Amino acid sequence: MTSPRPALLAVLSLLWNAALVWNCPSASAQQRPEPVRIVGGPGGGCIAGAAELPASGPGYQTIRASRSWFWGHPDTIAALQTLAVRAYAAGLPTLYMNDISRPRGGPMTGIHASHMLGLDADVWLDVRPKPRLSPAALDNLEVRSLVTPDGRGTDPEAWSPEHVTLLHLATGLPGLDRVLVNPAIKQQLCRVVTGDRTWLHLIRPWYGHTAHMHLHFRCPAGQPECRDQPPPPAVEGCDASLDWWFKQLDAPPAPPSPPRPPAPLPAACTAIMAGGPGG
Ligand SMILES: [Zn+2]
């Protein structure tokens, strides 16, 4: 990690708090005036009472706002803000935050299979200093891939030790269930992380995710209608289970399968998606 900047961070926090006191409406997360209620699980669901991540805050800014959604469980929003502050304190530049969930969750058809419960968030793996960009430029931002075009490794021009710092910080967030990244990124962590490796089991390989990490949080307390998936295995995962992903690169492409209709949402989501807490 690079050296902390506690003094600078303290000044930043003071300025930000001052903005809150001076009634800057975009500075704090806005929550829908209804009880928080998550219904569903990995197969689909929805959320009432979600909060919206402000467009910017200490250590982060949102990108692609015209085609993205930034609503989530208040704990998810707070965790993302914590990640940004901790990353900044560790010497990283401002983070780019992207999709969380729609205002009431539910499908993000054609974009994400998950992100339905307000418990998922995409954070870009861009640890370069960020220039000041116009809203239009932020809206059209493309972040470079960390993975080589053949999918077999990380690009040495793009990879940096700060990526390890950011991924490690993500695994330490309250309520964090797992972090999804491309198998080549997981493989790189397996190679370079020294000392404490106990957090590696929370970094899970998945398709895509070459330029961003997908954070998934567990069902928060007090949400009996929210269903978790089984926790990730408590092993590093730097083994044959990771090799499997690279063997798939050599396999002939599977014949296209007919599109499957999405699974129906839980019945209680009908009312929630229509605009009420459904209770
Ligand atoms: Zn995602």
Side-chain angles (χ1 to χ4, degrees):
M1 287 193 188
T2 47
S3 60
R5 292 178 285 181
L8 197 52
L9 188 69
V11 170
L12 192 70
S13 294
L14 270 177
L15 288 172
W16 206 261
N17 289 337
L20 283 173
V21 170
W22 293 332
N23 201 20
C24 177
S26 65
S28 61
Q30 302 292 311
Q31 186 178 349
R32 290 188 169 273
E34 59 197 11
V36 184
R37 180 185 178 195
I38 295 177
V39 179
C46 57
I47 176 172
E52 186 177 28
L53 181 70
S56 62
Y60 79 89
Q61 62 189 126
T62 60
I63 62 170
R64 300 179 172 183
S66 72
R67 49 198 160 122
S68 305
W69 300 96
F70 300 100
W71 294 83
H73 188 281
D75 290 357
T76 301
I77 304 302
L80 294 172
Q81 292 170 318
T82 296
L83 175 64
V85 168
R86 288 179 180 173
Y88 190 84
L92 300 187
T94 301
L95 302 181
Y96 286 146
M97 305 280 189
N98 203 205
D99 272 327
I100 306 176
S101 291
R102 290 174 177 271
R104 296 182 178 281
M108 296 175 81
T109 309
I111 308 172
H112 303 284
S114 58
H115 288 260
M116 291 202 215
L117 307 173
L119 299 176
D120 300 280
D122 291 341
V123 180
W124 291 86
L125 292 168
D126 186 344
V127 294
R128 295 170 291 179
K130 309 292 192 299
R132 179 176 285 273
L133 296 175
S134 67
L138 283 171
D139 203 32
N140 290 299
L141 207 60
E142 293 294 335
V143 180
R144 73 175 168 183
S145 169
L146 295 183
V147 177
T148 54
D150 66 4
R152 296 183 187 276
T154 50
D155 178 354
E157 296 284 310
W159 181 265
S160 76
E162 285 76 20
H163 290 113
V164 179
T165 302
L166 179 57
L167 287 155
H168 189 185
L169 286 172
T171 62
L173 292 174
L176 191 279
D177 176 66
R178 70 195 68 203
V179 178
L180 302 182
V181 295
N182 186 271
I185 296 175
K186 167 85 184 194
Q187 176 182 249
Q188 178 70 0
L189 291 176
C190 290
R191 286 176 179 157
V192 302
V193 172
T194 56
D196 176 18
R197 290 171 63 94
T198 56
W199 54 278
L200 286 180
H201 77 283
L202 296 174
I203 307 281
R204 303 288 297 162
W206 197 246
Y207 302 98
H209 298 82
T210 59
H212 75 275
M213 59 177 172
H214 173 116
L215 275 52
H216 177 70
F217 293 89
R218 292 188 294 275
C219 291
Q223 295 296 328
E225 298 165 283
C226 179
R227 284 183 292 105
D228 276 318
Q229 54 191 309
V235 292
E236 284 183 7
C238 301
D239 51 18
S241 66
L242 183 58
D243 296 340
W244 179 88
W245 289 90
F246 297 100
K247 288 189 178 132
Q248 304 316 300
L249 297 173
D250 300 321
S257 50
R260 280 188 302 174
L265 293 181
C269 286
T270 304
I272 289 175
M273 300 292 288

